Amino acid sequence: MGSLECLEEKYPIIDSEFRQFCASHNILSVEDFLMQDLYALNIVAEQRSNPEKLKLGITQILDVMNNQHQPWLNGQELLENALLNKQSLSVGCDRINALLQGGLRKGRLTELVGPSSSGKTQICFQAASYAATHGIANVMFIDTGNSFSPKRIAQFVNKMSNHVIDQESLRRIMNKIVCHSVYDILSLLDILHQLEINLKHQNDFQVMMLIVDSLSSLITPVLGADGAHGHALLVQVGFMLKKIAYEHNIAVLVTNHMVASEGGSLKPALGERWKSIPHVRLHLSRDSSNNTSWMSILGHPSVATGVAVEFEMMCS
Amino acid sequence: METTSLSTSWNQLSRFGSQTAWEMLEKEESSRRITTSCADLDKVVGGGFRCNQVTEVGGVAGIGKTQLGIQLAVNVQIPADCGGLEGKAVYIDTEGSFMLERVLQIAQACVEDLHSSHRKMTPADFLDNIFYFRVCSYAEQTAVINYLETFVADHKDVKVVIIDSIAFHFRYHFDDMPLRTRLLGEIALKLMKLAQKFSLAVVLTNQVINKFADGSFHLTLALGDSWSHACTERIILFWKGSERYAYIDKSPSVRSASVSYCVTERGIRNSSSNCKLVKMM
């Protein structure tokens, strides 16, 4: 919501005369209007020379504001929306899909937490490759550790397509995955903001999956530096990701690394304050001696915590 | 048609430096890598040390971390017509372990191996192209890493930045551990950005420590679990009997593998029976 001036084009009743009246009460923007005692304002308006017109203007602005909030939905409509727009995207591994009841759900924020070299990035590659191979829209990959390996993506794409693919289809598929390098949290917010604008205003621009690998490394330099500042940024990024996921039907996947806690055991780097933000939290671990990995549920809306699955990472 | 309209949408995001996976694949396939002079080691890391990424090399004292660092500082200068990058090197020495005589020896051996080149390089040329920074405290180290972006912008032919070692000044005299984590996190991202922006290789060496966990001591890299995420690729150097081995501990693009190598007078080379050295005590 902006200044009253920009409303004039659409609602001619909010003309300069009306705005002058408002300005005399320190009302310059729509927000200012919300903070006013409207009853008192109506009384003042009646004492002016043209009370009817001023009152109409006030009603008009209230009307505009009432239309600002999202419409309400009932459960049936929510379910229809979920079935229509919030499908699951396969991660290209049957066992993980079974664990997650289909895969990464559009509209949800999924977090992958695990120690170094536990295979977080590989799961991201795999999910991105499968989505690009079998889906229509694009995949956006935000890389903070220069670990995006196009060669590995090409390997996954080759493995996941049902038939041998030629160079031209490989090019077409790989052009659907777009990678951005980001090295600080403010740039991430910037890029998410730009993404939101593009999604809103361009109908030909579609994204089905957004990956941030890793979110925790962007937060580490600002966490605990000066009070709650880092936490505020973290929560802001979390909510922005969830908003984008819900409004544009995107499956969002972020990774989080692990650090030692006081007792010597490992805990997620993004801690208590982050914990409640993602819809789905998954823990990843790997036994490097025999190439087996485990994924277990730390939090999920409809799967019990602690359920785990063993799987093998796809090799080259 | 479809692809053109797509690419215009992406273009609006491209001021953030976005690229599609296909563009990156083409770029990667055409980019050269820095050879280690050990063909076996080159093979397991996918053809040599890659630009655009941060590689961490860890191992016990005397295993050859500094030797590998010096070898890379020399090899990055191999002329383009011999398959090299023809770049320059930045060497940040935090421990004072940079040995000039060794650089000269390795450069000499490199010159001899390049005899086919029509443009003759001398060992002195190699020394000329190594920019050496000596660092004596963690504050100095943080400062020089901050300065690197400016320095490399002025010296665009720098293709490798070696920090030997990243850990030294951060291991002792540090009471404020959260501050250490923040500083290191910041350093990690700065180096990542440097590697990507100037498409150069960043190579960090790290020390090993004895860590007590699950009721026993075992060796692990210094600087903690948070730091372990700070590199793109990690190579652990270790002894197996009297032979030196390199192990790919973390990599987004190649699978874990180990390979033997040896340190000779001429530098890092393939391990063969006649060059097994007696382990120094």
Side-chain angles (χ1 to χ4, degrees):
Chain A
M1 285 189 239
S3 65
L4 294 180
E5 204 171 339
C6 52
L7 287 174
E8 187 179 353
E9 201 180 315
K10 219 168 163 189
Y11 310 101
I13 192 147
I14 305 167
D15 56 7
S16 61
E17 195 192 342
F18 178 74
R19 289 202 307 274
Q20 227 163 31
F21 164 71
C22 288
S24 67
H25 290 84
N26 279 330
I27 301 169
L28 300 170
S29 68
V30 179
E31 277 91 344
D32 293 338
F33 203 87
L34 279 170
M35 311 303 284
Q36 280 289 329
D37 181 352
L38 294 178
Y39 183 71
L41 202 66
N42 265 321
I43 291 174
V44 179
E46 269 172 29
Q47 293 159 357
R48 294 292 178 100
S49 55
N50 49 353
E52 288 315 310
K53 203 179 154 226
L54 291 179
K55 273 173 155 175
L56 261 174
I58 293 170
T59 321
Q60 179 65 68
I61 292 184
L62 282 175
D63 213 41
V64 170
M65 286 188 306
N66 283 338
N67 289 326
Q68 277 291 320
H69 68 78
Q70 308 255 351
W72 59 271
L73 296 164
N74 65 28
Q76 191 63 37
E77 285 165 329
L78 276 174
L79 183 67
E80 268 168 32
N81 174 281
L83 291 175
L84 192 68
N85 298 320
K86 308 283 194 278
Q87 308 93 340
S88 288
L89 296 175
S90 162
V91 293
C93 168
D94 292 342
R95 290 194 168 186
I96 298 178
N97 286 341
L99 178 75
L100 300 178
Q101 298 182 332
L104 302 173
R105 179 81 71 89
K106 285 184 181 175
R108 272 189 191 159
L109 171 59
T110 304
E111 175 199 352
L112 208 52
V113 54
S116 175
S117 99
S118 57
K120 300 187 292 296
T121 302
Q122 296 300 318
I123 296 279
C124 293
F125 287 172
Q126 198 167 328
S129 308
Y130 194 91
T133 310
H134 297 282
I136 305 157
N138 298 291
V139 175
M140 195 164 154
F141 198 107
I142 296 177
D143 181 18
T144 70
N146 297 354
S147 48
F148 186 83
S149 167
K151 222 173 223 168
R152 193 82 180 108
I153 294 277
Q155 285 173 2
F156 276 127
V157 169
N158 271 310
K159 283 235 162 174
M160 280 162 177
S161 57
N162 306 322
H163 48 91
V164 182
I165 50 173
D166 53 53
Q167 196 73 357
E168 180 50 36
S169 348
L170 183 68
R171 189 184 73 88
R172 190 180 48 78
I173 292 167
M174 287 185 69
N175 267 331
K176 286 198 278 185
I177 305 177
V178 175
C179 175
H180 304 260
S181 292
V182 172
Y183 303 105
D184 64 86
I185 187 81
L186 297 176
S187 307
L188 178 67
L189 283 168
D190 203 13
I191 205 169
L192 291 178
H193 189 65
Q194 184 64 43
L195 175 68
E196 222 183 343
I197 293 172
N198 283 11
L199 287 167
K200 226 172 244 170
H201 299 292
Q202 288 170 306
N203 294 329
D204 60 335
F205 180 80
Q206 285 186 338
V207 174
M208 58 182 157
M209 187 181 281
L210 169 66
I211 296 169
V212 184
D213 180 32
S214 77
L215 182 60
S216 49
S217 66
L218 292 180
I219 299 286
T220 310
V222 292
L223 215 53
D226 37 13
H229 179 61
H231 284 294
L233 283 170
L234 174 64
V235 172
Q236 200 185 342
V237 169
F239 275 97
M240 202 152 172
L241 288 171
K242 277 167 88 168
K243 183 167 175 252
I244 292 176
Y246 181 77
E247 285 180 1
H248 302 283
N249 304 320
I250 296 173
V252 180
L253 179 63
V254 302
T255 64
N256 181 2
H257 68 251
M258 293 186 105
V259 293
S261 62
E262 284 85 23
S265 57
L266 291 172
K267 60 169 190 185
L270 303 179
E272 291 301 312
R273 239 172 266 203
W274 168 255
K275 216 162 103 172
S276 57
I277 297 175
H279 298 104
V280 180
R281 303 187 74 214
L282 304 169
H283 179 259
L284 204 62
S285 58
R286 188 169 80 107
D287 184 350
S288 56
S289 60
N290 56 7
N291 194 33
T292 45
S293 302
W294 287 270
M295 185 183 274
S296 62
I297 305 269
L298 291 177
H300 192 286
S302 51
V303 181
T305 305
V307 179
V309 70
E310 189 185 327
F311 65 98
E312 227 166 84
M313 205 66 85
M314 210 179 269
C315 357
S316 45
Chain B
M1 256 316 271
E2 184 205 349
T3 44
T4 42
S5 65
L6 264 182
S7 58
T8 46
S9 304
W10 287 124
N11 278 345
Q12 293 187 319
L13 285 163
S14 68
R15 67 188 171 97
F16 301 101
S18 67
Q19 297 172 75
T20 75
W22 180 257
E23 288 164 359
M24 289 174 79
L25 183 69
E26 285 184 324
K27 208 182 270 180
E28 190 177 302
E29 276 170 356
S30 64
S31 72
R32 288 195 169 154
R33 292 169 174 240
I34 308 168
T35 169
T36 58
S37 289
C38 167
D40 293 342
L41 183 54
D42 279 355
K43 211 168 138 194
V44 295
V45 297
F49 275 59
R50 200 163 74 84
C51 292
N52 296 72
Q53 73 175 27
V54 177
T55 310
E56 183 178 28
V57 178
V60 295
I63 189 74
K65 301 187 295 291
T66 302
Q67 303 289 333
L68 182 61
I70 293 174
Q71 185 78 58
L72 291 169
V74 168
N75 285 359
V76 74
Q77 302 178 42
I78 294 173
D81 48 16
C82 300
L85 276 85
E86 204 169 306
K88 292 181 180 175
V90 167
Y91 199 102
I92 299 172
D93 184 9
T94 67
E95 302 187 8
S97 55
F98 188 74
M99 295 157 289
L100 210 55
E101 300 78 5
R102 228 12 224 141
V103 184
L104 212 54
Q105 268 180 339
I106 289 173
Q108 185 64 47
C110 187
V111 169
E112 285 163 19
D113 290 345
L114 287 178
H115 54 82
S116 59
S117 167
H118 39 88
R119 206 152 36 90
K120 202 74 186 153
M121 276 184 93
T122 65
D125 294 332
F126 280 95
L127 293 188
D128 257 350
N129 293 333
I130 298 176
F131 304 110
Y132 174 85
F133 293 88
R134 177 80 172 95
V135 162
C136 295
S137 72
Y138 77 83
E140 277 182 42
Q141 186 172 330
T142 312
V144 83
I145 288 168
N146 283 348
Y147 171 61
L148 274 179
E149 194 170 338
T150 320
F151 182 83
V152 178
D154 291 339
H155 300 82
K156 289 243 167 54
D157 40 6
V158 167
K159 282 293 151 206
V160 66
V161 172
I162 296 145
I163 305 181
D164 180 28
S165 70
I166 191 82
F168 190 71
H169 296 300
F170 283 92
R171 283 190 60 191
Y172 310 104
H173 321 299
F174 234 108
D175 302 323
D176 187 352
M177 293 310 266
L179 174 68
R180 188 181 93 158
T181 309
R182 281 202 300 280
L183 278 176
L184 286 170
E186 187 86 46
I187 284 178
L189 288 170
K190 284 221 167 89
L191 293 173
M192 286 290 173
K193 189 177 178 188
L194 191 77
Q196 186 68 255
K197 189 172 173 187
F198 298 102
S199 42
L200 51 81
V202 175
V203 180
L204 315 170
T205 68
N206 195 357
Q207 303 168 328
V208 290
I209 51 162
N210 238 331
K211 194 180 174 186
F212 187 77
D214 305 329
S216 66
F217 283 101
H218 48 95
L219 289 177
T220 165
L221 288 190
L223 299 183
D225 296 303
S226 197
W227 177 258
S228 67
H229 298 267
C231 60
T232 316
E233 207 158 82
R234 181 164 52 244
I235 300 169
I236 307 280
L237 306 179
F238 64 98
W239 288 104
K240 193 169 171 182
S242 61
E243 257 190 301
R244 291 175 157 98
Y245 270 80
Y247 171 71
I248 312 294
D249 183 51
K250 171 190 174 185
S251 168
S253 52
V254 296
R255 59 187 312 171
S256 287
S258 58
V259 66
S260 68
Y261 69 98
C262 72
V263 179
T264 70
E265 199 177 292
R266 297 166 64 82
I268 309 279
R269 291 294 183 270
N270 270 352
S271 178
S272 53
S273 49
N274 59 358
C275 80
K276 263 185 204 170
L277 294 184
V278 183
K279 181 180 174 181
M280 286 184 295
M281 298 311 285

